[in-house]
Amino acid sequence: MRSTELREAFTGFFAARDHLVVPSASLIPHDASVMFTIAGMVPFKPYFLDAERPPAPRVTTVQRCFRTLDIEVVGTTERHCTFFEMLGNFSFGDYFKQEAISLAWELVTEVLGVDGDRLWVTVHHSDAEAEEIWRDSVNVPPHRLQRLGEENYWRMGDVGPCGPCSELYFDRGPEHGAGGGPEHGGPERFVEIWNLVFMEMDALPDGSLVELPRKSIDTGAGLERMLPIVEGVSSMFDTDVLAPVIAAAEDAAGQRYGADHGTDVALRILADHSRAIAFLVSDGVLPSNEGRGYVLRRVLRRMARRASQLGVRKPVAARLIAAVVEAMGSTYPQLVRDEDFIVGVATREEERFLRTLDIGAAMLSEVLGSGEAELSGDVAFRLHDTYGFPVELTTEIAAEHGVSVDLEGFRKSMEVQRSLSRSAVGAGASSRTEQYREVLEQFGATVFAGYSEDVLEARVVAVLDNGQAGERVAEIFLDVTPFYAESGGQVGDTGRISTSTGAATVLDTTSPIAGLVCHRAVLDGEISPGQIATASVDASRRAAIRRSHSATHLLHWALRKVLGDHVRQQGSLVAPDRLRFDFSHSEALDHDQLVEVERLVNMEVLSGAEVETTTMSREEAESAGALAFFGDRYGAVVRVVRAGSESVELCGGTHVASLGLIGSFIVVSETSIGSNVRRIEAVTGLGSLAMAREALDDLDEVAGALKSPVDDVLKALERLAERHRRLERELRSLQQARIADEASQLAATVSQPYGSELGALAGIVIARRDRLDTDALREIAVAVRGTAGCRGAVIGGTPDGGRVALVAALAPGEGLDASKVISVAARVVGGGGGGTADLAVAGGKDPGRIDEALEVARQEIMKISGESGGDRPS
Ligand code: SER
């Protein structure tokens, strides 16, 4: 049996037992409490919590998952991986322990043909019921049934659904370690292949557990664990999902798998990580310095580092990813579609990292050269984290230099980093969340009627005060509302809610938990639960938001048309005054591309086509070609928005009825907001009119200032620039003439002893010149130095009456040092400067002492050259 048959056998078995087969959701979960889809149940969390109604009471999936919990172990064993597929069957308040256990046994032993005598079962120590079912109805012999502690209690995370679990282990045989079952035996020998979670509890943010409204089943069987057994091979790296990737890694590294433990570890890491990278990028994760992007970046770096340890000096991602696509593309066609994009993203990141590795090596040798006896834990961590140096490597290289590494400090920095990545996103709900849940439980989901209505009558179901004195801000909940709650980039509505006893100005609308719409408002008078209210959104603001939102869809479509299908929405802001659209693309758009995108959008606008919104099943939406890239949940009915001839997207937002209502669309800016992500900001409706008006007014003003007709502005500007250049040239040549003149005057004084203002000695002119800047003085001094019979010049003066400029240009040799001369002189005028022995400049603050400074310079020269200058004339 190969992987395709295994997937089909699994879902087919459950489909035949009334389970709805649901496609895999994205690796980017909808749920904010986890960063990635870490288990098959993640997309179903709202169903376990009873916050949403499931598409069917029983479902089955093959879910792509990604976990980094064991990433340090990956490669060192034959059973750990970051990316994996989880085969699962789920019951939402339908069947429970008895049926789940029998189904598991039947499928594993009868359909998949696993020898029951090699299976061991564990249950949670408190779960006598499960133990009894295994023993009495399945007939698992008691000596192969073990009770375990916390490892048989499954939690999705710190918060969320959880419960005791029961696991099936396959005994790989004595050659893989000690006997004694999962409890006592070797972990490589007893491999967990199936986990049955009896979802009973919900872990709350305060750490307490409350019972779930319905007992449910979450079963997870790791495909990578089951596949070696049904394929009859020794590990997942020998199965059809990974063996071709291992082969590609062997090829890239020029090494054989199975010959040496260290090499095997590296090859397994290459295979596992490249698979994870392919799926993460395909699901819309791009390398960055935070959140998911950071995790992807780390995975990519681990892969590149391993390759370089194997002696590979060039990027390997392209080759490995091609093997991943080959092995898994038929099950996941998105990989085939996105291959070029994935390879581009991964290779660019890998190339950048290989450069970083070189920088890290240089940094390490610099630190080691500094003479410290110990390398700090912080530096070791930075080398590990930023430059991809494993601490073992740092320790090894340090030891070669007789330097030790503060490993304790390193571990501390690692710990901080780990807890940062564990806390992920969105954790830390407050007790307010429980209040929201209560409102939702008591009154049900808020009905959103704002697609068609701006004003309506509604019943107030709850009012939550913020408990602050003074201005009364409250959160108001209605049974039905025209207010759109911020979501999918579209900002929340504002407006007014009024009853017979009070009115509230709604500042923002959000959905704090799925299904509930919260109107945050400033209260005037009283609004109480039970009252009938008139709820009206700020209609003109909403109309502007609609324009922005529909324009965003057209922009997305136009970008894909002009740049290619790799363009994907990475985020957006749909506001009344502007729209912002972030998308994956690796380079700046040139002017022609931007103009073309703008033109395509405006052509669609001008078509005046109606915007159609329909609801349909996800499958129907997919076959209609709807774009949906992240946060998509499956099984449910989806809303599809068709805007113009080709744009079809899944979207819950509000849109114009006809594209003509957008007005006109103007791109304001196109910038980079990270590697591989670009951002376009644009305006529509009156916003574009205002923008165009402003630009035209500015142009008028410019034309006025240039005294030129508007049509001729550019030519007038060019003429002006040309004139400017000419004047600059003239000015420069006048300056040169003055400099030459000054220089020859000064050089002429050199032959007369004490003939200049301050005296000359042995071919050196010391003089004062005001109203010339440092550059001019320097040129004069250099020119004097170059005149026959001169050895140099020291010139001081004030360019503007406030500051001091001092320069010295001295012929090299004879122990004369211009920088020394200038620094003693500069001290006199309260300044400093420097340069070389030939040429030095300085500034100062005390123009009253310039002559004194020049005298000091003279003395210094005399001292250095050992000549006697005699007395100065008085
Ligand atoms: N949620 C459980 C797990 O991930 C079973 O699916 O192991």
Side-chain angles (χ1 to χ4, degrees):
M1 198 182 256
R2 314 290 278 172
S3 61
T4 314
E5 282 107 27
L6 174 58
R7 293 186 197 94
E8 276 164 12
F10 187 96
T11 52
F13 175 84
F14 286 105
R17 287 157 184 79
D18 297 329
H19 289 65
L20 176 72
V21 184
V22 172
S24 173
S26 165
L27 286 174
I28 304 179
H30 206 267
D31 183 86
S33 75
V34 280
M35 205 186 257
F36 294 101
T37 300
I38 54 155
M41 54 72 66
V42 169
F44 305 135
K45 182 175 162 189
Y47 309 148
F48 290 116
L49 296 177
D50 207 19
E52 275 176 44
R53 190 205 287 274
R58 304 170 168 210
V59 306
T60 178
T61 56
V62 180
Q63 174 63 48
R64 52 187 186 272
C65 300
F66 175 76
R67 285 186 197 171
T68 53
L69 201 63
D70 301 319
I71 191 164
E72 310 288 338
V73 186
V74 169
T76 63
T77 71
E78 293 195 313
R79 68 200 153 89
H80 286 93
C81 44
T82 56
F83 172 86
F84 58 96
E85 292 171 272
M86 189 79 117
L87 304 162
N89 61 289
F90 304 87
S91 144
F92 309 114
D94 193 47
Y95 61 83
F96 199 49
K97 286 185 195 179
Q98 173 72 49
E99 193 165 354
I101 290 175
S102 321
L103 287 171
W105 189 261
E106 185 187 342
L107 174 54
V108 173
T109 58
E110 287 172 29
V111 180
L112 303 180
V114 179
D115 178 1
D117 292 342
R118 293 176 73 174
L119 293 175
W120 288 66
V121 175
T122 62
V123 297
H124 189 238
H125 60 68
S126 67
D127 199 351
E129 185 191 353
E131 189 184 68
E132 207 179 291
I133 299 171
W134 284 113
R135 194 186 55 225
D136 300 340
S137 9
V138 182
N139 294 327
V140 173
H143 73 274
R144 279 195 277 116
L145 248 168
Q146 295 178 328
R147 288 198 185 197
L148 296 180
E150 272 311 290
E151 57 265 58
N152 270 32
Y153 198 92
W154 199 88
R155 297 164 186 271
M156 173 180 158
D158 295 337
V159 292
C162 53
C165 61
S166 176
E167 295 173 330
L168 277 179
Y169 284 79
F170 180 74
D171 181 356
R172 293 171 73 207
E175 65 277 24
H176 295 283
E183 190 177 2
H184 309 291
E188 291 290 338
R189 172 165 174 180
F190 297 96
V191 180
E192 180 209 322
I193 56 164
W194 193 289
N195 186 9
L196 270 160
V197 186
F198 309 120
M199 292 291 195
E200 294 176 332
M201 296 296 189
D202 182 16
L204 299 183
D206 64 7
S208 61
L209 290 176
V210 295
E211 260 187 48
L212 285 174
R214 303 174 306 190
K215 292 188 192 312
S216 294
I217 290 291
D218 152 29
T219 285
L223 174 121
E224 285 73 7
R225 297 286 177 80
M226 194 72 87
L227 198 54
I229 303 174
V230 299
E231 285 193 7
V233 295
S234 88
S235 91
M236 63 180 177
F237 295 100
D238 305 303
T239 63
D240 69 303
V241 291
L242 276 160
V245 195
I246 288 278
E250 284 180 306
D251 212 32
Q255 311 261 7
R256 294 252 66 81
Y257 183 65
D260 164 71
H261 176 71
T263 305
D264 288 355
V265 171
L267 293 173
R268 285 184 209 125
I269 289 177
L270 295 189
D272 168 80
H273 287 16
S274 57
R275 221 159 61 115
I277 292 161
F279 278 91
L280 286 170
V281 175
S282 172
D283 270 340
V285 184
L286 291 171
S288 78
N289 277 334
E290 53 187 24
R292 294 184 189 103
Y294 181 63
V295 176
L296 170 63
R297 175 161 281 173
R298 283 187 60 207
V299 172
L300 259 153
R301 288 180 172 190
R302 285 175 55 92
M303 181 188 75
R305 200 186 68 216
R306 284 304 172 151
S308 90
Q309 279 172 358
L310 288 174
V312 187
R313 288 277 164 263
K314 48 184 200 294
V316 293
R319 181 172 214 145
L320 296 177
I321 287 165
V324 172
V325 176
E326 183 73 35
M328 305 198 65
S330 62
T331 310
Y332 297 94
Q334 65 174 61
L335 290 180
V336 180
R337 186 192 68 205
D338 297 340
E339 181 173 354
D340 290 347
F341 179 66
I342 301 167
V343 166
V345 168
T347 305
R348 268 192 301 278
E349 179 73 11
E350 206 184 356
E351 281 166 349
R352 190 172 317 164
F353 177 63
L354 291 176
R355 286 196 295 274
T356 315
L357 263 184
D358 293 339
I359 300 170
M363 168 172 161
L364 183 57
S365 61
E366 191 176 308
V367 175
L368 291 172
S370 70
E372 299 282 326
E374 191 184 63
L375 189 109
S376 77
D378 188 45
V379 171
F381 176 71
R382 253 190 303 140
L383 279 165
H384 157 90
D385 197 50
T386 314
Y387 300 106
F389 269 69
V391 71
E392 299 76 29
L393 186 64
T394 305
T395 313
E396 215 176 286
I397 300 175
E400 284 163 15
H401 291 72
V403 173
S404 64
V405 177
D406 173 14
L407 290 174
E408 195 41 45
F410 171 79
R411 266 189 284 276
K412 279 200 188 114
S413 306
M414 281 291 275
E415 213 18 74
V416 172
Q417 154 92 5
R418 282 225 178 90
S419 55
L420 280 179
S421 52
R422 236 184 270 128
S423 62
V425 232
S430 65
S431 61
R432 188 42 77 102
T433 311
E434 275 126 59
Q435 290 178 306
Y436 294 142
R437 287 184 52 155
E438 267 171 36
V439 175
L440 184 64
E441 263 159 39
Q442 227 176 317
F443 305 101
T446 319
V447 175
F448 175 64
Y451 291 131
S452 54
E453 316 292 330
D454 287 343
V455 187
L456 52 79
E457 303 272 279
R459 184 174 294 278
V460 179
V461 297
V463 179
L464 298 177
D465 234 295
N466 74 347
Q468 274 170 25
E471 193 175 62
R472 291 173 57 224
V473 177
E475 295 181 345
I476 301 172
F477 301 87
L478 306 173
D479 59 350
V480 47
T481 184
F483 285 79
Y484 184 83
E486 178 199 337
S487 136
Q490 181 174 333
V491 297
D493 278 331
T494 62
R496 222 171 144 70
I497 296 175
S498 53
T499 68
S500 55
T501 55
T505 306
V506 178
L507 306 175
D508 194 13
T509 309
T510 57
S511 174
I513 57 172
L516 199 64
V517 176
C518 168
H519 310 84
R520 203 167 59 80
V522 181
L523 277 186
D524 184 12
E526 286 302 324
I527 290 188
S528 320
Q531 284 187 309
I532 293 295
T534 304
S536 44
V537 300
D538 178 336
S540 68
R541 180 173 178 275
R542 164 65 93 69
I545 293 171
R546 286 197 187 102
R547 287 195 284 271
S548 287
H549 205 152
S550 304
T552 304
H553 284 213
L554 294 180
L555 174 59
H556 191 182
W557 160 80
L559 283 167
R560 287 169 68 90
K561 199 147 179 102
V562 173
L563 304 176
D565 280 349
H566 63 277
V567 167
R568 294 171 172 214
Q569 176 162 355
Q570 296 292 328
S572 69
L573 175 75
V574 176
D577 52 340
R578 74 211 148 103
L579 65 92
R580 197 170 78 195
F581 187 74
D582 300 340
F583 58 100
S584 46
H585 185 60
S586 51
E587 57 214 34
L589 273 69
D590 64 29
H591 177 261
D592 289 354
Q593 289 172 323
L594 265 187
V595 169
E596 179 60 6
V597 166
E598 205 178 62
R599 189 188 70 87
L600 285 173
V601 171
N602 283 303
M603 289 301 288
E604 290 292 293
V605 169
L606 291 176
S607 77
E610 266 180 34
V611 176
E612 284 167 34
T613 55
T614 33
T615 49
M616 54 181 83
S617 75
R618 183 183 175 281
E619 291 71 25
E620 286 169 317
E622 222 170 48
S623 53
L627 287 182
F629 290 129
F630 52 91
D632 29 357
R633 207 115 35 98
Y634 300 108
V637 166
V638 293
R639 183 164 180 270
V640 175
V641 176
R642 184 183 288 277
S645 53
E646 284 167 36
S647 159
V648 188
E649 286 193 43
L650 295 198
C651 176
T654 59
H655 288 271
V656 292
S658 132
L659 290 178
L661 293 174
I662 292 175
S664 60
F665 170 88
I666 299 184
V667 172
V668 179
S669 67
E670 193 274 338
T671 50
S672 160
I673 57 158
S675 49
N676 308 312
V677 187
R678 312 289 311 173
R679 166 170 293 174
I680 283 186
E681 300 201 56
V683 285
T684 60
L686 289 175
S688 22
L689 188 63
M691 195 175 135
R693 183 72 266 151
E694 211 175 295
L696 289 172
D697 287 350
D698 286 349
L699 192 60
D700 273 342
E701 252 179 72
V702 171
L706 288 170
K707 298 192 178 36
S708 133
V710 167
D711 288 350
D712 212 26
V713 161
L714 200 58
K715 282 214 188 79
L717 203 58
E718 275 161 8
R719 282 195 297 271
L720 196 66
E722 180 46 42
R723 194 171 126 85
H724 183 81
R725 279 192 292 275
R726 205 181 60 234
L727 290 176
E728 258 183 350
R729 276 197 302 273
E730 279 169 17
L731 184 65
R732 185 81 204 129
S733 71
L734 286 173
Q735 271 171 350
Q736 293 297 344
R738 173 157 183 219
I739 287 166
D741 193 36
E742 291 277 3
S744 69
Q745 276 180 30
L746 283 176
T749 66
V750 81
S751 55
Q752 315 155 16
Y754 312 123
S756 70
E757 292 94 327
L758 290 169
L761 64 163
I764 296 174
V765 175
I766 296 185
R768 172 160 181 169
R769 285 290 181 275
D770 292 328
R771 284 180 305 283
L772 285 168
D773 64 14
T774 312
D775 285 346
L777 290 188
R778 192 183 50 230
E779 285 181 41
I780 294 170
V782 169
V784 171
R785 187 182 64 190
T787 311
C790 291
R791 279 198 303 146
V794 179
I795 312 175
T798 171
D800 50 13
R803 289 172 301 137
V804 177
L806 289 170
V807 303
L810 297 173
E814 296 173 45
L816 282 176
D817 185 335
S819 71
K820 218 163 175 187
V821 171
I822 220 70
S823 63
V824 290
R827 273 204 289 278
V828 177
V829 287
T836 62
D838 310 352
L839 184 64
V841 300
K845 300 190 279 270
D846 192 352
R849 300 182 66 190
I850 293 175
D851 294 344
E852 211 179 306
L854 290 170
E855 175 56 18
V856 166
R858 193 181 74 96
Q859 306 273 353
E860 181 68 19
I861 292 173
M862 281 166 54
K863 211 166 78 197
I864 301 172
S865 61
E867 291 184 36
S868 163
D871 286 331
R872 289 175 50 217
S874 45

